[in-house]
Structure formats: C-alpha cells, structure tokens
Amino acid sequence: MNDDKFLPDMSRLAEAIRKHDCIAFVQLFHIGPMLPPFLRSERLYPVAASSLSKEELPLPNFIPPKGLDRDEIKRIIEDFVTLAHRAKRAGFQGVEINAACNHLLNSFLSRAWNKRNDEYGPDTIENRSRIIVEIIQGIRELNGKEFGIVVLINGAEIGLKDGIRPQESLKIAQVLEKAGADAINVRAEFYTPFRDPNKRDSTHFPDVALYPEPPFPVSDLMEDRFWGKGGWVPLAANIKQGVSIPVIVAGRLDPEFGEKVLRKGAADFIYFNRALMADPELPRKLMEGHPEDIRPCTGCLTCFDNNERGNPPLCQVNPTLGKESLLPISKAKKKKKVLIIGGGPAGMEAARVAALKGHEVILYEKAPRLGGSMLLASIVKGLKRENHLGLISYYETQLKNWGLS
Ligand SMILES: Cc1cc2nc3c(=O)[nH]c(=O)nc-3n(C[C@H](O)[C@H](O)[C@H](O)COP(=O)(O)O)c2cc1C
Ligand code: SF4
C-alpha cells in the first residue's frame, strides 16, 4: 500500500469486498519493536517511542529498539495519513489503526515502552495518545467525516509492572473518541515470564496466554474459564461502559459464544480471524442455518507461525486458504467410482472433495471411528489448546450429508 502503483490491485480487493454488500476496511500499522528477524537489515531496525537498553526492555528476549525523534514522528504520522488516503482512493470505506500488541503506536501508549520527556511522553494519557490523535485528525481532514476510523488498542498489558491497566485503556479510548475515532477494537498483550528462549513470550492470543495454565492469577482482567475463548471480553466491556462509540472484540470466539457477548452487551461487534481462515464460508453457512457445516479452526496456530516467518497463508484445516481461485472445486466432466483407503484427515478431505466433484466415493476405514491419527492426537494434546475432535465431527457430518459409504 506504500505506493500509488498498488492502487489498481487495492481497488480490485475493495471492489471484491463491496460487491457483496460488505464494508471494506483495511488495517494500517507500523510494526515498531516487533520487527521480525527476516525483515531486519541495516536500514530496517526495530523502533519505538523510546530507545531502550536490554535491561529496560519489558522482556529480555526483545531486541532493544531505537527511539524516534520529533521529525521521525511527524513523518510517520504523514505516512499513516497518506496510506489512509490511498485506501480511500482505492475504494475502502475505512481504516483500522493498529495501536495494540507491542507495535509502534502502542509503545507510545504504554509506560513500559515510553520513557520520553516531551509532549509524546508517558506523563499524561493525552501525551501518550498524542501520536494517534494526530493521525486521526490528519485522516479526518483529508478523507472527510464519512470515512471510518477504528482504533485497535490494548485493553491491558498483562504481566508488566508498568503495563497499560484497564483504567488507563478506558481513558485512552475516551481521548480517541474525542479525537474522532468511530470505534475501538480491544485486545490485550500478555507478557509471560521467560518460557521459550526462541520466542518473545508475549502474545495477544488468549488461548495461548492461558496454556497450559496462566503463570499468575488473571481472573480480574480476563475471562479465564473457557481456555481462552472470549478471553479479552471483560476488557472490551470495561471500555464499552465508558465510551459512546461501538466497541469490538476478538479472541477465539465462535458464533455461539460471540452471540452471547453481543446479547450481554459486552461489545457491539465481534471479530473472527482464525475461524474465517479455517472456513471463509462461515457467515453464509450461519445465515443459511447450517452451523454444523462450518469447518472448525483447531487453534493449532500453524497459520501464525507461518506468517511470522514471512510465508504465504497456510491453514492446517483449509488447504485452499489464499489459493481459492487456483484450486476451485468444480464438477468433474466424467463421474467415476473413487475408493479411498483410510479415514484419517487426508482420506476424509479427499473423500469430501471427490464427493463435491460429483464422484461416487467409498471410504474404507478399519477402525470403528473416523479420524485416524487425529484421535491419538486428541488423547495426547487434550482439547484445551487444540481441538481435533471438533474437526472429526465436521467431517463425519459432511461425509454423511454426501451419502458416502
Ligand atoms: C496469521 C495471522 C495473522 C495476523 N495478523 C494480524 C494483523 O496483521 N493485524 C492484527 O491486528 N492482528 C493480526 N492477527 C491477530 C488477529 O487479528 C486476531 O486478533 C487474533 O487472531 C485473535 O482472534 P481469533 O481468535 O478470532 O483468531 C493475526 C492472526 C493470525 C493468526
Ligand atoms: S492454521 Fe490452525 S489456528 Fe490457524 S486458522 Fe487454521 S486451524 Fe485455525
């Protein structure tokens, strides 16, 4: 998005979304201190509100970032505004400004990252929020009042002495509302004590934060009864009672749990990410009253690990993710009899696709139940962090629907 040469492709994307009566938003973020190793170079290094030494870092396994001077801040604000304007020119109706996780904008909001002593410093909520307020004002001025601006913030930075607390995130949300934000999306960054030397040990996935169990008590901050499902909902509810703009929340939600969140009034919108990567047809299947046909996300996080390495999209349960137009399932010209040996994940998926293509399918499985190695995996892994049994049930339903023997 950083050049007008991408306008035609961006426009195609916006149009593809809008032609289905959906509202097209795009997220803007500066990765800041989280710059992954594969992107680092002499020219590209982690930056934050302040330069921090190894000792000052929120966790020792982060890379010490370089602090930004005022001119650099000004340039970054201009970049956000230019990107939002390009998004509008491409046909997007709004942007989400990502000021959460441990990205650049969050490093201004958080006292754990922000050690400045100027008007962007940590002494007041207004100063901490200033860079985001200036971005919002710039976008409003250029894109007009009809253009949507959502800001994604951390409702809390859990596990840090100087991390954002819920009382502070509420005040931040109020400042952003006053500056012209149309909605606030709430998540949290969870800093765990040192567990894995190869990882940063901070996460915004509530299901990861709670696995195998929280390293310290968290029930005053997050929903910890459902293995991460709806983990950040209490933080969203805290903000919702203090602002008049809509509040959004994500985090291992499924349609049933999400509906409860909305009915309880804990948030105004719910977000699905992994659930939609596992089954992009989820909204249609729900609308048509067939939740049993939704292919469930197991929570394995193959997608995220792969994304962190800079690879194209990959999902454990949806082999066509990101390749939908290359791998369409069309009717075969000639109907054949297909025999599949083994009712494990590969066999079941092959049977499903062959049936969708119109073939007559027979699936042989020697065990009394379908699932193959997924059944063993469920015994070893349990159901808390990853859930394979849900996927087996999905295949059983699909294969029954198609009348497979
Ligand atoms: C592969 C992958 C990429 C992601 N990229 C982003 C991103 O660019 N910006 C963002 O705000 N969140 C990103 N997230 C986090 C999701 O937006 C979402 O908050 C998180 O997955 C929790 O929601 P879920 O349980 O519905 O997946 C990503 C998550 C995954 C799995
Ligand atoms: S890779 Fe795993 S966690 Fe990611 S969407 Fe697919 S099933 Fe869910």
Side-chain angles (χ1 to χ4, degrees):
M1 286 181 59
N2 64 346
D3 197 293
D4 272 355
K5 72 178 178 202
F6 299 119
L7 264 174
D9 285 342
M10 287 168 63
S11 303
R12 275 201 309 138
L13 179 59
E15 199 192 317
I17 299 169
R18 292 181 67 170
K19 82 170 180 222
H20 296 286
D21 280 342
C22 293
I23 296 174
F25 270 57
V26 63
Q27 189 186 77
L28 311 178
F29 76 102
H30 187 307
I31 203 158
M34 267 177 84
L35 187 71
F38 72 90
L39 283 178
R40 281 180 215 145
S41 68
E42 225 168 83
R43 227 174 46 82
L44 223 53
Y45 42 83
V47 293
S50 305
S51 297
L52 297 180
S53 66
K54 197 101 188 123
E55 294 69 40
E56 289 171 312
L57 283 169
L59 281 179
N61 37 356
F62 283 90
I63 305 289
K66 182 188 160 302
L68 297 173
D69 63 30
R70 277 214 185 82
D71 286 344
E72 287 169 321
I73 291 179
K74 199 162 168 281
R75 262 207 312 279
I76 283 171
I77 294 171
E78 281 166 10
D79 284 348
F80 269 96
V81 174
T82 307
L83 287 178
H85 191 228
R86 189 168 293 123
K88 183 179 179 193
R89 284 157 61 214
F92 286 92
Q93 292 139 298
V95 289
E96 178 174 83
I97 300 165
N98 184 339
C101 299
N102 21 48
H103 297 319
L104 178 69
L105 298 180
N106 176 71
S107 76
F108 283 83
L109 294 177
S110 165
R111 285 178 303 124
W113 290 94
N114 188 343
K115 312 287 177 196
R116 301 179 71 91
N117 48 21
D118 61 5
E119 71 273 27
Y120 295 98
D123 45 342
T124 65
I125 294 287
E126 282 69 23
N127 283 353
R128 287 155 68 178
S129 311
R130 189 174 304 282
I131 183 169
I132 309 169
V133 167
E134 290 178 358
I135 290 170
I136 295 173
Q137 288 166 343
I139 296 175
R140 271 277 165 265
E141 206 175 301
L142 209 56
N143 284 6
K145 65 177 188 329
E146 294 303 317
F147 190 77
I149 304 178
V150 177
V151 188
L152 170 63
I153 60 170
N154 286 328
E157 288 177 309
I158 303 173
L160 288 185
K161 191 164 81 52
D162 289 335
I164 296 172
R165 301 200 174 89
Q167 311 88 288
E168 293 175 312
S169 63
L170 170 58
K171 288 190 191 140
I172 291 168
Q174 288 166 337
V175 168
L176 299 177
E177 175 177 14
K178 203 161 149 223
D182 294 304
I184 304 288
N185 186 3
V186 184
R187 65 169 61 144
E189 191 68 18
F190 191 96
Y191 290 78
T192 63
F194 191 72
R195 282 202 269 201
D196 181 346
N198 297 315
K199 295 214 168 130
R200 289 185 305 258
D201 279 337
S202 109
T203 183
H204 69 274
F205 294 104
D207 39 324
V208 177
L210 296 176
Y211 181 80
E213 59 201 24
F216 38 78
V218 290
S219 49
D220 57 329
L221 288 170
M222 61 184 288
E223 174 59 82
D224 62 350
R225 290 173 296 165
F226 309 111
W227 308 328
K229 197 185 279 190
W232 309 138
V233 171
L235 295 167
N238 169 56
I239 290 184
K240 183 163 161 51
Q241 48 80 32
V243 297
S244 55
I245 49 177
V247 171
I248 306 167
V249 72
R252 204 69 185 115
L253 295 174
D254 56 32
E256 209 180 316
F257 197 96
E259 185 68 30
K260 283 190 194 144
V261 171
L262 295 174
R263 283 188 192 279
K264 235 174 51 188
D268 301 287
F269 289 91
I270 48 166
Y271 261 20
F272 295 131
N273 176 24
R274 285 169 289 174
L276 285 176
M277 291 199 284
D279 192 344
E281 302 281 337
L282 181 151
R284 183 182 59 71
K285 290 174 182 174
L286 265 187
M287 275 197 308
E288 291 173 359
H290 289 293
E292 74 284 0
D293 287 342
I294 296 170
R295 179 172 40 208
C297 159
T298 61
C300 66
L301 277 181
T302 303
C303 50
F304 194 67
D305 291 343
N306 194 58
N307 187 61
E308 289 273 275
R309 290 186 210 109
N311 294 328
L314 187 72
C315 172
Q316 190 192 51
V317 303
N318 177 7
T320 61
L321 179 69
K323 304 187 265 291
E324 292 82 358
S325 59
L326 299 175
L327 299 168
I329 301 177
S330 49
K331 283 276 176 221
K333 287 199 185 94
K334 195 170 162 209
K335 180 172 174 167
K336 291 185 178 168
K337 207 167 185 180
V338 178
L339 174 65
I340 294 167
I341 314 288
M348 292 191 293
E349 177 64 10
R352 185 186 76 91
V353 174
L356 283 173
K357 289 179 83 67
H359 298 302
E360 185 186 333
V361 183
I362 300 168
L363 176 62
Y364 268 102
E365 169 54 53
K366 68 178 177 193
R369 213 194 146 175
L370 290 171
S373 55
M374 284 200 288
L375 291 167
L376 181 63
S378 302
I379 296 171
V380 178
K381 296 185 176 204
L383 300 174
K384 295 183 180 172
R385 179 63 194 79
E386 278 184 59
N387 184 345
H388 290 267
L389 286 189
L391 188 63
I392 298 174
S393 303
Y394 156 79
Y395 275 114
E396 283 170 344
T397 308
Q398 298 310 298
L399 301 186
K400 213 182 290 160
N401 283 353
W402 286 99
L404 259 68
S405 52

